[in-house]
Amino acid sequence: MNLYRKLFLGFSVVVLIVGCSSKEEQNLMKNFRADMSYHKQLQQTEKAELRDVNGSIVAFLTATYLYTPSANKHDRRDEKFIVGVEFEEPETNSIQFKNRDDINSTHLYSVTLEDKDALHVKKLSPSSKKLKDIPFVTEWGEYFEVTYPHISSKRLSLVFKNQVAGSARLNFSKVARFVYSNKAF
């Protein structure tokens, strides 16, 4: 009889543990699946700040690389980004997606990919569905869908620059970033 009590008690504990953990696991997986697109976009998002001589931020840029891997080894798709920009003084600043060496204005900013101009730029409305899963979207930023020519390299960089505030480089990769890390696990 003592053996039956031990077996019953052991079986009850196992059922209780399995029952509780499966409910929590199901809720966790449900939440993870609902936010999966957001987390994938977050992995491909970088930010940059340009500062004036006093160290104050004059422009803030976020860029999300919209790359999806392809099985095609000769993939020649153009490079697409969602670029968001916020200026300290929005009424006096402008942004262009061309490589300009003659940037004389303190209020003119440029964004290029590996020194290449954008092929296509489309300004997105704040209610655009394309911004739904993009991280760091704010109501006071301006957002653009920007297409650049294909880059054959696995690593690429957007350069955000201004004559006075300098430049910042946002690095992206077509493969997992740890591939380029020198650190051992």
Side-chain angles (χ1 to χ4, degrees):
M1 189 89 148
N2 197 11
L3 178 64
Y4 291 118
R5 283 186 185 175
K6 288 180 182 178
L7 284 174
F8 179 74
L9 182 62
F11 181 72
S12 298
V13 169
V14 169
V15 168
L16 182 65
I17 290 173
V18 170
C20 292
S21 66
S22 67
K23 289 179 186 176
E24 290 177 17
E25 182 180 335
Q26 289 172 357
N27 287 338
L28 180 64
M29 291 308 292
K30 180 180 168 186
N31 290 338
F32 178 73
R33 279 189 214 103
D35 293 337
M36 190 177 299
S37 178
Y38 174 83
H39 294 296
K40 284 183 180 180
Q41 298 298 344
L42 184 60
Q43 290 176 341
Q44 289 291 344
T45 300
E46 294 291 327
K47 69 174 185 68
E49 302 168 346
L50 294 184
R51 298 177 179 268
D52 63 11
V53 292
N54 299 327
S56 299
I57 296 173
V58 294
F60 181 76
L61 182 105
T62 59
T64 301
Y65 186 30
L66 301 177
Y67 178 75
T68 53
S70 170
N72 183 0
K73 290 186 178 190
H74 304 290
D75 184 16
R76 302 287 303 162
R77 292 178 294 169
D78 292 333
E79 313 299 346
K80 290 190 176 192
F81 293 86
I82 298 288
V83 175
V85 64
E86 299 171 27
F87 297 110
E88 181 64 29
E89 298 176 20
E91 65 278 350
T92 61
N93 296 297
S94 64
I95 189 165
Q96 62 181 2
F97 297 92
K98 294 183 178 181
N99 192 11
R100 297 274 311 259
D101 292 329
D102 62 337
I103 297 177
N104 296 330
S105 172
T106 60
H107 302 297
L108 186 60
Y109 296 82
S110 69
V111 180
T112 57
L113 179 67
E114 302 291 338
D115 292 325
K116 294 184 179 184
D117 296 345
L119 298 173
H120 179 69
V121 178
K122 178 184 176 187
K123 187 170 183 178
L124 300 173
S125 71
S127 61
S128 174
K129 289 182 181 181
K130 291 182 179 185
L131 296 177
K132 180 182 173 249
D133 292 328
I134 301 297
F136 309 119
V137 172
T138 64
E139 59 188 59
W140 52 86
E142 291 183 61
Y143 296 91
F144 304 87
E145 181 179 31
V146 186
T147 304
Y148 289 96
H150 174 75
I151 303 290
S152 58
S153 173
K154 298 287 185 205
R155 297 168 104 178
L156 40 124
S157 298
L158 277 176
V159 177
F160 181 43
K161 66 181 174 180
N162 172 267
Q163 180 68 24
V164 175
S167 66
R169 184 174 295 274
L170 292 87
N171 298 312
F172 297 93
S173 177
K174 294 181 183 181
V175 295
R177 292 182 188 192
F178 69 83
V179 171
Y180 298 112
S181 174
N182 291 333
K183 294 180 181 178
F185 294 103

